[in-house]
Amino acid sequence: MTESTHSSKDAPGAAGRDAGERETAEAGRRLQDLVHASTTVIERLDLEVVLRRIVEAGMRLVGARYGALGVISPEGGLERFIHVGVDRALAERIGHLPEGRGLLGAVITDRQPIRLDHLAGDPRFAGFPAHHPPMESFLGVPVRVRDAIYGNLYLADSENGTFSDGDQTLVVALAATAGIAIENARLYDQAKRRELWSATIADVMAAMLDVQGANVLDVIAERVAALIDADLVAVTVPHGEGELKITTVHGRGAEALRGMMYPLGDTLAGRALAERKAVSIRAQPAGAVLDSQPSLGPTVAIPLIAGDEAFGVLSISRRADGPGFTATDLDMAFAFAAQASVAMEVVRAREQRRRADTAADRARIARDLHDHVIQKLFGAGLALQAATGTADAATASTIDEQIDTIDAAIRDIRTIIFALSDSERTGSKRVRDRLLDVVAEVTGSWSTPPRISFAGPLDSLVSAPLADDLVGVLRELLTNVWKHAHASSTEIVVVAEDDEVSLVVSDNGLGITDPQRRSGLSNLSARASARGGEFTIVSAPASGTRVSWSAPIDHSPGPIDRDSEALP
């Protein structure tokens, strides 16, 4: 009886002790889980890995089926959304990731934990998009880095049905540890970014010092594309009034973009040139600037400036889902631009010195040709001319032919002397320079370059408008020779007399057999008529083509039909 009574009094106490022990054991287990979760989060320094581990640790800690971490952008909302529990195929079917509106946005604005037993019962819940899995319970906790909120940890669908106060306490503690881990990872990420940018700067600077001036921008784009995680790297240069031209492209869609031009306007490159500093955007949809432009993710534009001159803009773009450019990236990009500008100044000074040395050499060669070669040829011509008086008719005729050949050689040498003396001048507006530039531009790839000779004071007699017509006529005639004549020999003669300038282009090609080709030269006839001049064509299959264009020097030009100026 007594024993029985004693047992009945001790039973409730034993049960209480068992319950207390279970609670203590559960608390110890959860504390160990928190320590393990915190250790898992802190032991890595790679920011991407750390962010994902925070989500996975939170899910294990409170038994959640789904988890995500939203990184808050400087403008508000979510700039990134790392999710766990929804596989890739289902995520692609759902489509666009959350942007921080509705209940997710409430965690951002409230800056306090939000715990719900039923998502759909909260008025802030905006519903799920198509294909999204159903979710019931919800726990959202801000993740702070120092005094700022870096992002929010979202957990959904507790294995126990709902999240408890203890669950919320554990996740808040995990979020505090996560903030420290994120700060360490960000510092490590900044150090890696600085190291990468420094390596890029050193590599580009070393490469730039080994190239010619015209290739500097190409080297910059090529080396940056190889070293920086980028989907597309482009160099854009000012072209004309209010336009930009893409000169160098590396990466996705490069072929479609190379050589394209677009208005300066309010573009990212235009902002970089105007503000003279690196600027960035989060994304750029396909066709935003050019029809052939692919969709781009985070993009930074870096102005390349040497002294007061803007050489161009270096644009670096990542894929649409790629990481954005941080403040560290922009600081290093600015340092890169400064270093690149110094290197470009060095390259430009080296090029100027090279041109000066080349000009001096060419001037010396031109003097030697003038003082020695021409004088010897001139003397030989005079001697031959004197010999004709004592020779028979046949011999005299042969000597006259040789004298003509010597005269032609002297004219050719004088043309060469002019080219040697003036080809290295910058900003030259002389007519001969412009015509020689056209010849070099159009015939650079010809197996046999054309012969060109000048006669008369061309530069002093021909006005700028008339020079424009001469340049346009020569370009079109040489283009026609290249396209249609298949000639092995081409000769250009430009003569300026007191009242007229003439341009003659002769070739030994196939001749003009197609009437449409003659009509295609109507714009050249229109140019001559507008100036009161003449335009003639003599062509035969056996003898090639000779085209003559002439105009009075003092004639005031009339209106020209500009619609007929396109190349045939």
Side-chain angles (χ1 to χ4, degrees):
M1 181 77 175
T2 303
E3 183 179 351
S4 175
T5 303
H6 178 75
S7 299
S8 65
K9 289 181 179 179
D10 288 349
R17 285 195 301 274
D18 291 343
E21 290 174 357
R22 286 195 298 273
E23 290 178 1
T24 302
E26 176 66 15
R29 182 189 65 79
R30 303 200 77 177
L31 181 59
Q32 290 180 352
D33 290 344
L34 177 60
V35 172
H36 177 71
S38 300
T39 303
T40 301
V41 167
I42 291 177
E43 66 183 5
R44 292 297 297 268
L45 286 175
D46 187 280
L47 183 59
E48 294 300 312
V49 175
V50 168
L51 295 179
R52 189 170 188 85
R53 285 197 171 190
I54 291 171
V55 180
E56 294 172 344
M59 293 170 61
R60 286 194 301 269
L61 191 61
V62 297
R65 185 173 290 109
Y66 303 102
L69 192 149
V71 180
I72 300 175
S73 71
E75 296 81 18
L78 300 178
E79 70 174 12
R80 296 171 61 197
F81 194 77
I82 299 96
H83 57 84
V84 179
V86 177
D87 60 42
R88 182 183 296 273
L90 182 56
E92 290 178 354
R93 294 182 65 194
I94 295 172
H96 199 277
L97 294 175
E99 297 179 349
R101 298 186 177 91
L103 190 57
L104 301 187
V107 183
I108 298 175
T109 55
D110 291 357
R111 306 170 69 89
Q112 296 294 329
I114 295 179
R115 178 163 53 93
L116 301 172
D117 294 341
H118 304 286
L119 270 171
D122 191 281
R124 294 167 295 186
F125 178 63
F128 294 121
H131 310 297
H132 195 287
M135 296 179 182
E136 189 65 19
S137 54
F138 172 82
L139 176 59
V141 175
V143 177
R144 288 179 168 83
V145 176
R146 296 185 181 179
D147 296 330
I149 294 182
Y150 176 82
N152 298 301
L153 177 59
Y154 304 112
L155 302 169
D157 269 14
S158 170
E159 294 175 351
N160 299 321
T162 60
F163 295 107
S164 64
D165 289 339
D167 292 337
Q168 180 173 321
T169 301
L170 288 174
V171 175
V172 169
L174 175 64
T177 305
I180 298 173
I182 290 173
E183 177 68 6
N184 291 338
R186 287 171 64 182
L187 292 174
Y188 176 71
D189 184 65
Q190 287 178 9
K192 286 204 309 180
R193 289 174 183 268
R194 290 183 181 276
E195 181 182 1
L196 179 59
W197 273 104
S198 297
T200 302
I201 291 173
D203 187 80
V204 170
M205 296 308 106
M208 285 174 64
L209 297 177
D210 292 331
V211 299
Q212 301 296 326
N215 300 323
V216 169
L217 299 180
D218 292 345
V219 169
I220 292 176
E222 182 180 354
R223 295 306 176 100
V224 169
L227 294 172
I228 298 294
D229 177 23
D231 196 40
L232 186 68
V233 176
V235 173
T236 308
V237 300
H239 183 82
E241 188 69 25
E243 277 194 329
L244 296 172
K245 181 178 181 179
I246 302 174
T247 59
T248 305
V249 197
H250 293 272
R252 181 166 57 96
E255 291 302 321
L257 294 174
R258 187 174 290 109
M260 298 295 290
M261 291 183 290
Y262 60 92
L264 183 65
D266 188 26
T267 60
L268 191 66
R271 285 176 50 200
L273 287 175
E275 299 176 17
R276 293 188 168 237
K277 66 179 183 180
V279 295
S280 65
I281 54 174
R282 280 292 310 162
Q284 197 171 77
V289 177
L290 291 167
D291 293 338
S292 54
Q293 172 215 312
S295 60
L296 301 174
T299 300
V300 60
I302 308 166
L304 301 173
I305 299 171
D308 294 330
E309 181 181 354
F311 278 85
V313 179
L314 173 67
S315 299
I316 306 172
S317 301
R318 289 173 174 158
R319 60 187 182 277
D321 59 345
F325 290 96
T326 65
T328 300
D329 287 324
L330 296 182
D331 289 342
M332 294 304 296
F334 181 79
F336 172 85
Q339 293 290 330
S341 298
V342 173
M344 285 189 289
E345 287 281 20
V346 172
V347 172
R348 183 162 63 174
R350 187 180 61 198
E351 286 297 301
Q352 290 175 347
R353 185 172 62 251
R354 183 193 64 79
R355 285 196 296 268
D357 292 342
T358 302
D361 288 341
R362 293 189 175 195
R364 177 183 54 78
I365 295 171
R367 285 195 303 270
D368 289 343
L369 287 173
H370 181 272
D371 296 343
H372 302 293
V373 178
I374 286 183
Q375 295 304 322
K376 288 181 179 180
L377 288 174
F378 188 73
L382 289 177
L384 288 173
Q385 195 170 26
T388 57
T390 59
D392 57 66
T395 304
S397 176
T398 302
I399 293 175
D400 287 339
E401 290 178 1
Q402 296 306 310
I403 292 174
D404 291 340
T405 302
I406 291 175
D407 287 342
I410 290 175
R411 288 196 299 270
D412 289 343
I413 292 174
R414 282 176 173 164
T415 299
I416 293 171
I417 290 173
F418 184 87
L420 287 173
S421 301
D422 296 325
S423 60
E424 290 293 327
R425 286 199 314 267
T426 58
S428 174
K429 299 298 183 183
R430 292 193 181 182
V431 182
R432 298 190 192 208
D433 285 341
R434 297 181 62 187
L435 295 174
L436 288 170
D437 287 343
V438 170
V439 173
E441 174 189 340
V442 178
T443 69
S445 60
W446 291 18
S447 58
T448 303
R451 291 179 56 193
I452 181 170
S453 61
F454 300 97
L458 189 68
D459 297 317
S460 60
L461 292 180
V462 175
S463 63
L466 180 54
D468 292 339
D469 275 341
L470 283 172
V471 169
V473 170
L474 180 59
R475 176 179 282 108
E476 184 163 344
L477 290 176
L478 291 178
T479 302
N480 281 328
V481 171
W482 171 249
K483 286 182 177 180
H484 308 294
H486 303 288
S488 60
S489 175
T490 305
E491 184 175 1
I492 305 162
V493 178
V494 184
V495 178
E497 298 175 341
D498 292 339
D499 59 351
E500 185 181 73
V501 61
S502 63
L503 169 65
V504 178
V505 177
S506 306
D507 67 74
N508 64 347
L510 302 178
I512 301 177
T513 57
D514 183 2
Q516 292 296 324
R517 281 188 56 199
R518 286 183 180 268
S519 63
L521 297 173
S522 59
N523 63 313
L524 301 185
S525 179
R527 284 180 183 267
S529 297
R531 292 193 170 275
E534 295 181 353
F535 176 70
T536 60
I537 302 174
V538 178
S539 181
S543 58
T545 302
R546 183 180 186 275
V547 180
S548 175
W549 189 96
S550 63
I553 288 177
D554 58 350
H555 185 78
S556 299
I560 298 175
D561 182 8
R562 295 298 176 185
D563 293 336
S564 65
E565 291 187 17
L567 293 177

